[in-house]
Amino acid sequence: MAPSTPLLTVRGSEGLYMVNGPPHFTESTVFPRESGKNCKTCTFSKDGTLFAWGNGEKINVINVTNKGQLHSFDLPKAVCLEFSPKNTVLATWQPYTTSKDDTAGIPNLQLYDVKTGTCLKSFIQKKMQNWCPSWSEDETLCARNVNNEVHFFENNNFNTFANKLHLKKINDFVLSPGPQPYKVAVYVPGSKGAPSFVRLYQYPNFDGPHAALANKSFFKADKVTMLWNKKATAVLVIASTDVDKTGASYYGEQTLHYIATNGESAVVQLPKNGPIYDVVWNSSSTEFCAVYGFMPAKATIFNLKCDPVFDFGTGPRNAAYYSPHGHILVLAGFGNLRGQMEVWDVKNYKLISKPVASDSTYFAWCPDGEHILTATCAPRLRVNNGYKIWHYTGSVLHKYDVPSNAELWQVSWQPFLDGIFPEKAITYQAVPSDVPSEEPKVATAYRPPALRNKPVTNSKLHEEEPPQNMKPQPGNEKPLSKTALKNQRKHEAKKAAKQEARSDKSPDMAPTPAPQSTPRNTISQSTSGDPEIDKKIKNLKKKLKAIEQLKEQAATGKQLEKNQLEKIQKEKTLLQELEDLELGI
């Protein structure tokens, strides 16, 4: 039996309703439209079978499969909803308030049993950030951050915690995905000159000096983002500061760290300086993509050794999105960029399409791995609200523009479990579409009146770097280290210089010497007896040595300045000048 088409939930000032996914795009009868502007929140369960929403009066839960309403809760102020992975518990959160009589405050985080509708437990959760408890995929384990401790509950028994992880000033934690054994990553910010650190633990082994699976400490971290891979074998940590003390960036400073559960850790070396915009794991858990560097930003795929595998070059981008099957990668520039997207086949590293979704504030892959949703939502942008559904080959299959007096707040796909939709072969030919294609308006550069009648000169602020495959070639399976590469280049340069010196020695310049005297003659060529010529030769050799060093830096991936690139271009001229001087001697 073929899987059903994912639904699309649309929430805005026109109300809350659902749209059938491709290829129909008609309003769905699964959910009757909820009119009005009072719908504050809505969410699907992890498998897409349940749907919950708040209409300003109640929180309602329905079964999408049989269209039957399950429960209705009197929670008019609830603004956040979340289902547990196996649809056992519905978590709701509303802003924290205190009454005049009760100084401790009113519990604002409720956990409801989805089957019976009874409230299992109420907690006080003051902050909206990280409000929802974290469950393991089988719901055996549930964890909450409470007063610098992580409390663990087992089998959804919230009356008492089964275990706790206590570290001084725990700021954040992330529970690993996947089955047992469960792992947890915790972050503790630095204080009084001590560094910040992230530690990995395996539940329930928290006690003892060697309990941690791995530990990574670092300075320059006001906040961190921790990303587990799907197989729970490694965590990527983006450490960032609010202020860049060097003054190079408004975005502060960011560093990327890799921590594995086997104890290995490393700093991911990014070839270009600047902010880290996005980091995302492939669903295979064997590689990840980072988008980083001052604009135009670079995007690079790294393996588990933190070695670059493929470099996508530079471009206007600040986000990366892998398809659910992990075989397609979209690099995009949203927010303050124009919405240019690059769709790549990451198995063959081949560009599929380059669509443009102008003014987009939201992007999501459809669970089928073929369709893409882009949207312009309020309050990020209050004009030109609407959404588009694309095929990854660049065709717009459906488009909806909200009326000028209305706003779009949220658009989301109905989720499906992994494996429901099979992976399909990638096609490079754009699929047909009934929606007329819109050519993006190309803004012409401003020209002052004095230059308008003169020919246009092509000048670029930045040199664009092309994509580059960083994998070692089949003939050389083991890549050389940086030191080995440097030594190899030095050896080759010396060998070439010796050969050149031998070939430069012409028979009509001097009588043919004995073979033993060749090295002596080669060395004596640098001394002419004329101090001026010797000085010129010395300066030329110094310049050539500096050029060789710049070439080595470029080979290791360092971004060279314009004047440094110009120096490298002069190498041939300097070599010719040195040859002429030495022959004159």
Side-chain angles (χ1 to χ4, degrees):
M1 183 180 171
S4 59
T5 306
L7 297 168
L8 196 68
T9 305
V10 183
R11 184 174 67 89
S13 58
E14 294 181 307
L16 174 67
Y17 59 97
M18 290 187 187
V19 176
N20 291 312
H24 304 295
F25 309 112
T26 54
E27 188 165 336
S28 175
T29 57
V30 168
F31 178 81
R33 181 187 282 254
E34 182 94 32
S35 301
K37 299 182 180 182
N38 296 323
C39 184
K40 296 177 183 177
T41 181
C42 64
T43 188
F44 275 104
S45 61
K46 301 290 186 293
D47 61 0
T49 58
L50 302 182
F51 181 70
W53 78 98
N55 56 13
E57 295 176 4
K58 294 184 177 183
I59 297 295
N60 301 302
V61 182
I62 65 164
N63 189 314
V64 178
T65 311
N66 58 24
K67 307 179 186 179
Q69 181 162 331
L70 298 178
H71 300 291
S72 184
F73 306 108
D74 289 321
L75 294 167
K77 295 180 181 178
V79 292
C80 295
L81 303 171
E82 191 77 35
F83 284 99
S84 61
K86 297 184 79 175
N87 305 343
T88 309
V89 180
L90 173 67
T92 69
W93 183 88
Q94 59 189 30
Y96 175 71
T97 55
T98 55
S99 62
K100 292 178 181 178
D101 304 328
D102 192 359
T103 53
I106 304 166
N108 59 326
L109 168 60
Q110 276 84 27
L111 302 177
Y112 290 94
D113 188 319
V114 174
K115 280 185 180 179
T116 62
T118 56
C119 184
L120 298 171
K121 189 69 177 176
S122 295
F123 296 103
I124 289 176
Q125 174 67 34
K126 294 183 180 180
K127 293 182 181 178
M128 189 177 182
Q129 185 182 3
N130 300 327
W131 70 271
C132 188
S134 294
W135 277 274
S136 60
E137 283 186 7
D138 58 5
E139 291 190 18
T140 302
L141 205 63
C142 180
R144 281 189 74 228
N145 191 353
V146 184
N147 298 329
N148 301 322
E149 292 181 341
V150 182
H151 289 184
F152 294 89
F153 305 90
E154 291 183 353
N155 301 314
N156 287 328
N157 178 13
F158 299 102
N159 294 319
T160 178
F161 56 83
N163 214 320
K164 70 175 182 178
L165 171 57
H166 177 76
L167 287 172
K168 196 175 180 181
K169 295 183 179 177
I170 288 180
N171 184 278
D172 196 9
F173 79 96
V174 183
L175 206 59
S176 67
Q180 296 187 32
Y182 311 117
K183 304 175 191 78
V184 60
V186 293
Y187 162 61
V188 177
S191 60
K192 296 179 182 178
S196 307
F197 62 84
V198 170
R199 284 182 188 161
L200 308 186
Y201 291 93
Q202 182 171 307
Y203 182 83
N205 306 323
F206 301 139
D207 299 324
H210 304 293
L213 298 173
N215 180 70
K216 179 70 177 173
S217 58
F218 40 82
F219 291 94
K220 294 185 178 179
D222 294 326
K223 57 185 177 183
V224 303
T225 304
M226 295 177 284
L227 306 167
W228 280 100
N229 64 4
K230 198 173 179 180
K231 292 181 180 176
T233 57
V235 177
L236 289 171
V237 179
I238 308 167
S240 56
T241 59
D242 297 327
V243 178
D244 184 356
K245 291 180 181 177
T246 63
S249 171
Y250 290 112
Y251 302 98
E253 286 182 89
Q254 289 91 22
T255 50
L256 182 59
H257 304 268
Y258 169 86
I259 312 172
T261 53
N262 62 4
E264 293 179 1
S265 65
V267 179
V268 182
Q269 299 295 335
L270 302 175
K272 189 173 185 180
N273 294 328
I276 298 172
Y277 304 103
D278 199 8
V279 179
V280 60
W281 280 103
N282 191 320
S283 58
S284 66
S285 299
T286 57
E287 60 185 28
F288 58 92
C289 179
V291 183
Y292 58 93
F294 295 113
M295 288 294 166
K298 282 178 79 75
T300 308
I301 289 179
F302 296 88
N303 60 19
L304 294 181
K305 293 180 180 177
C306 300
D307 294 327
V309 175
F310 189 84
D311 190 325
F312 294 97
T314 56
R317 52 174 85 109
N318 56 13
Y321 307 93
Y322 275 106
S323 66
H325 303 103
H327 62 319
I328 299 174
L329 174 68
V330 175
L331 302 173
F334 295 139
N336 57 351
L337 298 176
R338 291 183 182 178
Q340 291 163 283
M341 296 187 286
E342 296 171 38
V343 184
W344 286 83
D345 171 359
V346 288
K347 286 184 179 176
N348 302 306
Y349 297 114
K350 192 174 176 183
L351 185 65
I352 300 169
S353 63
K354 289 186 76 173
V356 178
S358 301
D359 303 327
S360 294
T361 61
Y362 179 76
F363 176 102
W365 272 101
C366 179
D368 65 7
E370 284 194 277
H371 299 91
I372 291 167
L373 168 67
T374 61
T376 305
C377 300
R380 178 68 177 84
L381 281 176
R382 296 190 183 276
V383 293
N384 299 330
N385 282 189
Y387 66 88
K388 291 178 183 176
I389 296 174
W390 309 69
H391 191 266
Y392 66 78
T393 52
S395 305
V396 179
L397 304 179
H398 178 65
K399 178 185 175 185
Y400 176 72
D401 293 323
V402 173
S404 57
N405 60 345
E407 290 180 349
L408 179 66
W409 300 329
Q410 182 185 351
V411 192
S412 57
W413 290 108
Q414 176 190 12
F416 278 74
L417 295 175
D418 293 342
I420 299 293
F421 291 94
E423 181 181 334
K424 294 183 180 178
I426 294 174
T427 177
Y428 297 90
Q429 187 69 35
V431 300
S433 170
D434 297 331
V435 180
S437 60
E438 294 179 6
E439 290 296 325
K441 294 176 183 177
V442 180
T444 55
Y446 170 77
R447 286 175 65 79
L451 297 177
R452 283 174 189 170
N453 296 324
K454 293 183 179 179
V456 179
T457 54
N458 289 327
S459 60
K460 288 184 178 179
L461 289 172
H462 308 279
E463 286 295 324
E464 291 185 3
E465 294 180 28
Q468 183 182 0
N469 196 334
M470 311 291 280
K471 277 185 178 177
Q473 297 304 313
N476 183 20
E477 289 181 11
K478 264 197 173 182
L480 294 173
S481 65
K482 288 182 181 179
T483 313
L485 281 168
K486 193 175 180 181
N487 292 336
Q488 189 185 43
R489 279 193 292 270
K490 277 184 179 178
H491 180 70
E492 286 171 358
K494 280 180 183 178
K495 195 175 178 182
K498 280 181 182 178
Q499 286 176 351
E500 193 177 335
R502 283 176 188 149
S503 62
D504 284 346
K505 192 163 180 62
S506 178
D508 57 344
M509 294 297 294
T512 307
Q516 290 84 356
S517 63
T518 306
R520 200 185 305 124
N521 286 346
T522 308
I523 295 163
S524 66
Q525 280 180 347
S526 60
T527 311
S528 65
D530 187 341
E532 280 298 315
I533 293 174
D534 287 347
K535 192 176 179 182
K536 282 182 182 178
I537 290 171
K538 190 179 178 182
N539 286 337
L540 285 169
K541 286 184 176 178
K542 195 175 177 182
K543 286 179 182 178
L544 287 166
K545 190 179 179 183
I547 287 169
E548 192 63 30
Q549 287 173 347
L550 288 174
K551 280 175 152 184
E552 287 174 11
Q553 289 174 9
T556 58
K558 186 178 178 183
Q559 187 77 12
L560 298 182
E561 301 292 333
K562 190 179 178 183
N563 61 335
Q564 292 174 322
L565 293 168
E566 287 172 355
K567 276 183 185 178
I568 292 173
Q569 289 170 0
K570 291 178 183 176
E571 184 183 22
K572 199 176 278 185
T573 314
L574 294 172
L575 282 168
Q576 186 63 47
E577 199 176 329
L578 178 65
E579 189 181 337
D580 292 344
L581 283 169
E582 287 183 333
L583 286 173
I585 294 163

